[in-house]
Amino acid sequence: MLQENQQNKTDVIVVGAGPAGVSAAVTVARGSKNVVLVERGNFAGAKNMYGGVIYSHAAQEVFPNYKESPIERFVSTHSYVIMSENDSTTVSYKNPAHKENAFIITRANWDKWCVEQAINEGVYYAPNTLVKELIVKEGKVIGIRTDVEEYYADVVIIADGVNSLLAKQIGLRKDIKLKNVFMGVKEVIKLPSEVIDQRFGLINQTGCAMELVGGPLKDLFAMGIIYTNKDSVAVGLGVSLEDLKNNKTKPYELLEKMKKHPFVADLIQDGELLEYSAHLIPEGGYNCLPKLYTDGAMVTGDAAMLVNNVHFEGTNFAMISGKYAGETALEALAKNDFSQNILCLYKKKLDNSFILKDLRTYKNVVKTLTERTNSIGYYSNKLNEFLEIFTTADGVEKKGKFQKFAKHFFTKRSLAELFKDGFAAVKVMFDILK
Ligand SMILES: Cc1cc2nc3c(=O)[nH]c(=O)nc-3n(C[C@H](O)[C@H](O)[C@H](O)COP(=O)(O)OP(=O)(O)OC[C@H]3O[C@@H](n4cnc5c(N)ncnc54)[C@H](O)[C@@H]3O)c2cc1C
């Protein structure tokens, strides 16, 4: 066995070349320290999937040249689709100037591009390398054990994603409860670029991000997504594992139903299925945060459960938390102190940033929403029913239709439930604004 002070020792080891890991590694390299980025996949992105949006603020902060990456489309349109069984209502925000806010890119392309930038800046990259465990000596993390060897470092940054066996190994994290994790499933469907432009109302290679609720997803804590690539469309959904278990539903069955909804079916008609993928999403939010550092190690991105599920923000949390972990490692190297006394700086940086501020703001929101899941289906149906009446000209007097609608509104759902829904809505607003 190699000793920690021999040839297999470097300043920093980062485990996982997703958005968190690559951001941590490139930050360390920019501080002129030695850093090894270890990835189990045969190329960065090989094992990764997500919805499709990278937020420009984070990309700019870590890779200021991000516009040179193989971007599919900039997001100019953000739509929210409220479905009932066969109809739907769309609220769409369109702002050509807003398109710098986010862009659509595939993970295989984005992760690979980021790693190439990191290598150019001095990161030593080790793909095809599965880290089996962390090496811990006298309570301190001092290295990693792979299939074939042991490597040592002053600091190990854990960026191995949602399952993070490594954070669990050293007791920073417990097993995730079913209610705190979503299953994400996604299909990529090939369509000609001009067909996508026409169906989604896009011009000049701008793109569209959509979130969908209700309809086939009603009564579940679930949300659909549709993102436009250059010449394909990503259609997927995220659904609570607890709801899947309780409802004895399978995620791909839900996706099939969602694809058959007229709103979605029209958008993907005659498309060719290119790929199918599935991945977990940490959904616990602030209440489920693990301890973020220990002697010799920090945990970042999904491994640290840093995701704002209400806004579908994960990659920006991963990139910025990775950057902060990298900066903290540099600080520790400068002081030659790798204990929690210095690594706690990482938590302070997160505390002062949008990451923990936003997670704190939404701390109780998800819990409130999960308790009222069945309301989403009810109000989605009612909204569509109302708009059907409102937009129908059939020679029948409107007053009677509105009276019938109002009567059903108050009789199909008990007053107690309506009161609870109203209370939940006020509570969500209060929690966000207080
Ligand atoms: C369906 C879905 C849709 C999403 N949509 C969006 C979206 O549109 N926008 C957004 O911002 N976020 C989205 N997210 C969330 C986002 O994908 C994650 O928050 C983000 O990828 C987290 O980055 P990460 O680097 O922490 O982890 P990951 O991206 O999971 O990267 C972890 C890396 O570690 C490697 N690894 C794991 N274990 C080991 C090991 N033992 N040894 C070596 N390497 C290892 C993996 O191969 C992987 O490359 C979505 C997620 C899903 C599942």
Side-chain angles (χ1 to χ4, degrees), residues 196-377:
I196 295 173
D197 289 349
Q198 179 239 322
R199 289 185 187 171
F200 288 82
L202 301 167
I203 52 162
N204 300 331
Q205 284 297 308
T206 54
C208 176
M210 282 183 181
E211 269 118 50
L212 303 90
V213 292
L217 310 179
K218 75 175 162 76
D219 302 334
L220 295 164
F221 195 41
M223 192 180 263
I225 48 168
I226 300 182
Y227 294 115
T228 54
N229 295 323
K230 243 180 224 149
D231 53 10
S232 63
V233 172
V235 183
L237 57 89
V239 53
S240 146
L241 277 187
E242 187 168 67
D243 279 7
L244 282 177
K245 183 176 158 241
N246 292 343
N247 289 276
K248 298 191 175 50
T249 312
K250 299 197 170 60
Y252 56 85
E253 287 170 359
L254 277 177
L255 185 56
E256 275 312 305
K257 281 189 198 156
M258 197 179 99
K259 279 166 52 197
K260 289 198 179 101
H261 188 281
F263 178 84
V264 182
D266 283 358
L267 293 176
I268 57 172
Q269 194 189 353
D270 299 328
E272 178 199 335
L273 178 64
L274 291 181
E275 66 178 54
Y276 177 89
S277 53
H279 202 281
L280 296 177
I281 317 171
E283 293 285 326
Y286 191 79
N287 296 324
C288 289
L289 284 187
K291 181 155 184 254
L292 296 159
Y293 58 91
T294 185
D295 291 328
M298 290 170 277
V299 53
T300 62
D302 275 14
M305 315 277 282
L306 297 174
V307 170
N308 183 338
N309 37 36
V310 177
H311 292 272
F312 265 76
E313 291 182 34
T315 53
N316 52 343
F317 280 42
M319 292 180 79
I320 302 301
S321 65
K323 181 176 174 242
Y324 290 159
E327 288 170 357
T328 307
L330 290 173
E331 198 78 32
L333 287 161
K335 296 203 162 74
N336 200 29
D337 180 353
F338 312 106
S339 71
Q340 300 193 39
N341 297 338
I342 293 289
L343 301 190
C344 67
L345 182 63
Y346 168 55
K347 168 78 168 35
K348 285 194 191 122
K349 283 173 183 278
L350 288 171
D351 268 326
N352 292 330
S353 74
F354 71 97
I355 297 180
L356 288 190
K357 286 183 181 166
D358 278 355
L359 287 186
R360 245 179 252 120
T361 299
Y362 284 93
K363 186 161 87 158
N364 297 319
V365 170
V366 171
K367 186 169 174 289
T368 309
L369 292 178
T370 37
E371 282 162 6
R372 306 303 309 151
T373 300
N374 69 1
S375 330
I376 300 170

Side-chain angles (χ1 to χ4, degrees), residues 16 18-20 39-40 48 50-53 55 107 131 160 281 302 314-315:
E39 166 58 42
R40 65 180 171 175
N48 299 337
Y50 79 141
V53 168
Y55 298 94
R107 279 297 295 276
V131 175
D160 56 347
I281 317 171
D302 275 14
T315 53

Side-chain angles (χ1 to χ4, degrees), residues 8 42 56 105 114 190 271 306 334 338-339 344 361 373 394:
N8 276 16
N42 60 0
S56 307
I105 195 165
C114 291
K190 191 172 168 55
L306 297 174
F338 312 106
S339 71
C344 67
T361 299
T373 300
D394 56 2

